[in-house]
Each structure stands twice: as structure tokens, then as C-alpha cells.
Amino acid sequence: MAITYELIKRCSKTGARVGRLYTPHGVFDTPIFMPVGTQATVKAMSPDELKAMGAGIILSNTYHLYLRPGPDLVAEAGGLHKFMQWDRGILTDSGGFQVFSLGPLRKITEEGVTFRSHIDGSKHFLSPEKATEVQMALGADIIMAFDECVPFPADHEYARQSTERTTRWAERCQKAHTRKDQALFGIIQGGMYKDLRSMSARDLVSLDFPGYAIGGLSVGEPKPLMYEMLEHTVPLLPVNKPRYLMGVGTPDCLVEGVMHGVDMFDCVFPTRVARNGTVMTSRGRLVVKNAEYARDFRPIDSDCSCYTCRKFSRAYIRHLLKTEEIFGLRLTTTHNLHFLLNFMKEMRTAILEDRFLAFREEFWAHYSK
């Protein structure tokens, strides 16, 4: 089965839209947030718990699964879906971002990237063909072209050379990709330069990928600059194909991304900060580990219907976190993921009812960074 996208509704006043993505492992509505299961598991969560929250698709990481347990083992298990017992959608990133984050542990050439494992220092080589081969073995529904993530800041000449290389690598990924039950998405790069974003979009759209990611944002640049790049880039992408903003997962960035016409998002943020005792609410972040909540018997968020908020108090969750009980991490993670998945559902409803602009205004009236 091919992966297809259906546009259902466009906001009359903004770029926001509701769509439907059809995959071999189910159908899900967009805009959507994808919980990150880096090593074939969303930390602290079971597949059944994620499904109960309404997660339609999750993300796994090619770099980490390549290093361990290895793509051959996952393929032998019947692919990533069977290996992790997840029967809904899976997207795997190409590993490019992780490899380029290794800094001095990696070397970039036209052929690919030589790097040393962060686990044991062993030497590896990842090329566009190898990254595609690994993702085909993993068997995700959506896979990503191998790209170079332009760092921030970067001068124009470096960003230009890097972006042109990403296009050449995208062509090589297309040639290497042979699985008909997977969709290979291209990744728009270009750093913080509008002319390079235009060039990248033009070149990749000409290659006719079934979907497009916007990469190289949320890498340390000020948020207004990220929104400026989105405003410039999204209109350059096909209307009838899904658009994916990589590495974004805070409510403020999600609502602005949706306003600009983005369909898919992912980020480790909600699960990572949950393990540090930070939870998301409709009014901003709350550090439930703080002493001020020691005798606070209210739920994390009185407007939230998740298991954590229905059953437990801030005082109890703080106690669990302070005593390093695993259940505390599960409760904060449950809340954060439910909060974001429900937040996306509320935005979809607002778009369908043609009141997204009012939804956004109400959000900003109450939300504190």
C-alpha cells in the first residue's frame, strides 16, 4: 500500500489545515504530534498506553537502532512494528541529525559521514544509500532522506554547500529506495537564509517526494526567526502532500507551526522534561518537583483528563519524584504526552469548525513561557 495524503479542510484566515494520512498501519488525521521512541520504545510508556492516548504514529531513530540492536536483528524479528509490538504508524529519521551532532567524532565527505559511536567509540560509515538500506530493513511506514542538518549559526557559503549536498544525497536516497510499502520524504534545508530555503524547496519538490520535512529549524535559533523561515518555506511546498517540521514539540511552537500550515511534528521534549519533573499545562510549564507543591493536592492541570490528572495530586507526584520512584516518571510522562496529543486534537477541531484564529488567540492569552 502506498502512503497517501488527503487534504480535508483549510482555515479561511491562516495557513492551518486538517488532513488525513493513509499508511499500511492505519490512518491518522493531521496536524499531529508524533511521540519519540528513540530506541524502539517511547520511554516509560507501553504501546497500549500510547494507543489509549490517541497516538497514531510514533518516531524511532535510525542512528540508535543501527548501532543497537542492529537493522538485521530488527528485520529478523519481522520489522520494527513486530519487534516493538506497535501496530500503528512509524516514522524513522535518517540518523543525519544525530550523526552531525557528534561534532569532532564525525567527518563529512561527499560520499557520506564517517563517525565514531557514542557508545563504544567504534568506527562507522553512513551514506545516503546505507541510511536508506537501514530504514528499509527497519520497515517503518515513513522514512527520511539522509541530509546534513545546517547548524546555527552558519555562514551563507557553508549553508549553501551543505544544502546543495543534501539535494544530491536526496537523489541518491531515491535511487536506493525500493520498498513500495514505505514513503521516503525529502528534507528541506537552507539554514536561516530565505534564498537557500527557496533553492532547497525548488530542487526537492522537483524530485517529487510523497512528503516533505522542514529540517534545520529548532536548532538554537530564536523562535521568531524559526517562524520567519516557516512563513517563507511552507508556501513553497505542494498543497497535496504532508509537511513535517522536525524536532518541535512545545505548545507555543506547535500552535505557530500549525498556523503556518505544518501537518506533522515530533520532539523528545515532552518525555525528556517529564523525567526531570517538568510538566506541561494549558497555562505553561510547571516544575512539580519544586518545594511549593509539597502540600498541593490539586491535579497537575484541572483542565486535563489524563490518567495522572484524574487520579493523583501534585504533592503525591512530587513525593514519587523526590524519592526516585519509577512510577513518578511514568505519571509525568503520561501527562505530558496526553496533553500534547489532546492539544493537537483541539487544534484539528478548531480548524474544522473554522475558529482556529480564535483558538490561537485564546492560547496566547493564557500561556506563559
Side-chain angles (χ1 to χ4, degrees):
M1 170 187 172
I3 283 78
T4 57
Y5 173 80
E6 176 189 3
L7 178 61
I8 294 173
K9 169 84 174 182
R10 297 175 76 172
C11 174
S12 61
K13 297 173 183 174
T14 70
R17 61 194 207 156
V18 168
R20 189 161 291 153
L21 202 54
Y22 297 84
T23 80
H25 290 90
V27 179
F28 58 88
D29 290 344
T30 62
I32 197 165
F33 176 78
M34 299 179 285
V36 176
T38 301
Q39 313 209 58
T41 179
V42 176
K43 283 183 170 56
M45 293 288 99
S46 73
D48 287 346
E49 287 169 326
L50 290 168
K51 286 163 75 171
M53 293 177 194
I57 181 169
I58 62 174
L59 181 143
S60 282
N61 186 269
T62 297
Y63 166 81
H64 289 281
L65 295 177
Y66 162 72
L67 291 177
R68 58 184 181 189
D72 294 343
L73 187 149
V74 174
E76 188 180 335
L80 198 51
H81 290 90
K82 288 187 177 178
F83 187 53
M84 66 186 293
Q85 290 300 301
W86 174 256
D87 60 3
R88 295 188 179 180
I90 298 178
L91 181 150
T92 48
D93 62 11
S94 68
F97 179 78
Q98 285 71 30
V99 167
F100 294 111
S101 298
L102 293 172
L105 295 176
R106 52 87 172 141
K107 180 182 178 182
I108 307 168
T109 65
E110 184 64 28
E111 282 307 302
V113 184
T114 303
F115 66 96
R116 292 197 175 274
S117 164
H118 72 287
I119 300 167
D120 58 11
S122 56
K123 193 174 182 180
H124 301 270
F125 177 72
L126 204 55
S127 65
E129 292 79 9
K130 180 70 174 178
T132 305
E133 176 189 319
V134 170
Q135 291 183 91
M136 286 195 291
L138 295 174
D141 301 281
I142 299 172
I143 70 173
M144 305 306 299
F146 192 60
D147 66 321
E148 180 180 351
C149 183
V150 180
F152 177 80
D155 63 54
H156 189 277
E157 180 59 19
Y158 178 93
R160 182 188 64 79
Q161 292 181 14
S162 171
T163 302
E164 289 174 346
R165 181 185 294 122
T166 284
T167 298
R168 294 192 294 272
W169 283 359
E171 293 183 82
R172 288 166 59 185
C173 288
Q174 269 191 332
K175 290 175 183 175
H177 184 239
T178 57
R179 282 191 67 157
K180 302 300 182 187
D181 60 343
Q182 286 181 321
L184 172 68
F185 281 20
I187 304 179
I188 310 298
Q189 288 290 348
M192 303 301 154
Y193 301 99
K194 290 181 181 179
D195 62 322
L196 298 182
R197 289 277 168 186
S198 297
M199 176 186 76
S200 181
R202 181 194 67 233
D203 293 345
L204 288 174
V205 168
S206 73
L207 295 175
D208 196 26
F209 286 96
Y212 293 91
I214 302 166
L217 296 180
S218 193
V219 291
E221 78 280 5
K223 287 182 180 179
L225 182 54
M226 178 175 75
Y227 302 148
E228 185 182 337
M229 291 299 110
L230 274 182
E231 188 172 4
H232 175 79
T233 306
V234 173
L236 304 174
L237 304 179
V239 171
N240 62 340
K241 294 183 179 182
R243 306 152 173 174
Y244 163 32
L245 177 56
M246 309 180 82
V248 164
T250 57
D252 54 336
C253 291
L254 291 173
V255 77
E256 294 303 298
V258 168
M259 187 189 72
H260 284 97
V262 175
D263 306 302
M264 304 166 66
F265 304 84
D266 83 284
C267 195
V268 298
F269 179 82
T271 49
R272 178 175 289 168
V273 300
R275 298 193 298 277
N276 296 323
T278 298
V279 288
M280 301 160 136
T281 78
S282 53
R283 298 182 180 276
R285 298 176 203 171
L286 184 154
V287 184
V288 75
K289 273 204 307 190
N290 287 353
E292 64 188 287
Y293 303 114
R295 285 179 168 79
D296 190 336
F297 301 107
R298 295 174 295 169
I300 287 172
D301 188 342
S302 58
D303 295 327
C304 180
S305 62
C306 78
Y307 172 74
T308 302
C309 289
R310 292 198 320 268
K311 297 284 188 178
F312 304 102
S313 69
R314 297 175 181 184
Y316 178 66
I317 296 165
R318 178 182 184 272
H319 158 70
L320 294 179
L321 295 171
K322 296 298 285 186
T323 54
E324 299 184 351
E325 287 288 345
I326 293 172
F327 189 46
L329 306 181
R330 282 179 39 75
L331 290 178
T332 52
T333 303
T334 295
H335 168 77
N336 278 355
L337 288 175
H338 179 279
F339 177 85
L340 280 193
L341 290 167
N342 189 64
F343 186 62
M344 303 307 292
K345 183 180 178 181
E346 289 176 344
M347 282 198 278
R348 291 195 297 271
T349 300
I351 296 166
L352 289 171
E353 296 176 356
D354 212 18
R355 55 176 180 83
F356 177 75
L357 200 56
F359 175 93
R360 175 176 173 264
E361 289 171 358
E362 185 178 356
F363 167 80
W364 280 114
H366 295 102
Y367 185 78
S368 168
K369 297 177 186 177

